[in-house]
Amino acid sequence: MKSVVAVETREQGTGRFNLRTLALALILCVLVLMSCGCASWWNYPGETAVEGNRRHKRVVQTNFEMMRADIDTVLLLDRPSNLTDKRLP
């Protein structure tokens, strides 16, 4: 005759608890990073709205120029072509 052993029962909420904890930790990390001064949409103390807009435009323009330079480097457009030995005027 076979012996019958009771099957262990698992707690059903452990996986859900870990997922909730992970989600809460992620939300807290995002909030901490946004409040540490890394967010670029806040004005600095003593800065007017016009100065803030000027700074934002300068940052966007600089980022765009750097992105364009990176694309030119990847596509090898930042160096002169060596296809001919003749100098072009």
Side-chain angles (χ1 to χ4, degrees):
M1 186 191 260
K2 294 182 182 180
S3 66
V4 178
V5 179
V7 178
E8 292 182 26
T9 59
R10 292 171 101 192
E11 285 186 34
Q12 296 295 329
T14 57
R16 194 177 309 162
F17 176 73
N18 290 337
L19 184 60
R20 285 181 187 165
T21 306
L22 180 64
L24 180 64
L26 181 65
I27 290 171
L28 288 175
C29 286
V30 167
L31 289 175
V32 166
L33 288 176
M34 285 179 58
S35 66
C36 73
C38 302
S40 63
W41 59 82
W42 293 340
N43 289 337
Y44 293 115
E47 184 179 49
T48 64
V50 174
E51 291 170 340
N53 289 337
R54 220 178 282 142
R55 180 174 49 86
H56 289 196
K57 286 180 184 177
R58 186 175 58 245
V59 167
V60 169
Q61 182 181 5
T62 303
N63 289 344
F64 184 70
E65 288 174 2
M66 290 170 49
M67 182 180 64
R68 188 172 36 204
D70 290 341
I71 291 171
D72 286 347
T73 302
V74 168
L75 297 177
L76 300 175
L77 298 175
D78 59 339
R79 296 179 245 175
S81 174
N82 294 327
L83 295 177
T84 181
D85 57 346
K86 307 278 191 269
R87 283 190 69 109
L88 297 174

